[in-house]
Amino acid sequence: MRAVVAYLGTLVVFLAVDLVWLGVIARDFYRNALGDLMQVDLGVAFAFYALYVVGIVIFAVWPADERGSLRHAAIFGGLFGLFCYATYDLTNLATLKDWPWIIAVVDIPWGVFLTSVSAMGGYLALRVTMGVRQPA
């Protein structure tokens, strides 16, 4: 049950924050920067969200829960976001002829923030819903 709570808590925060970013705050930025390169496949997007949140839970939420540390969730969530978003953006810069560098400059810090906040949300969902565990 802890895994389900951690996953759902993380997923809700991740989706809510990312949808506000992509759908409202930065919508025009991405459209203008990517132009015809931007094609959304909802099935692939769903797979990304589902899988990425598993990574957040495994690498940030569970270790933070074991330590009883919101700070740990924030730091390791941010690091996971840095590695994943940098891998995506830098690979695109290295391999795609017309990939705009400004996307990487904006997207990597966004991934750090988003993943950190989502890990904290998953951690807090565990603490509130399942009760506080004593650190190992």
Side-chain angles (χ1 to χ4, degrees), residues 77-116:
L79 286 171
F80 184 71
L82 172 66
F83 300 137
C84 292
Y85 276 69
T87 298
Y88 170 78
D89 286 303
L90 296 177
T91 297
N92 285 344
L93 277 171
T95 61
L96 300 177
K97 179 182 174 190
D98 294 324
W99 191 261
W101 63 269
I102 193 67
I103 291 291
V105 169
V106 171
D107 205 44
I108 293 170
W110 171 249
V112 171
F113 172 79
L114 172 62
T115 309
S116 179

Side-chain angles (χ1 to χ4, degrees), residues 1 12 15 23 29 37 49 52 55-56 72 76 79 87 92 121 133:
M1 183 54 96
V12 166
L15 286 175
F29 166 74
L37 290 173
Y49 281 108
Y52 190 75
I56 298 170
H72 192 89
F76 282 83
L79 286 171
T87 298
N92 285 344
R133 287 177 44 184

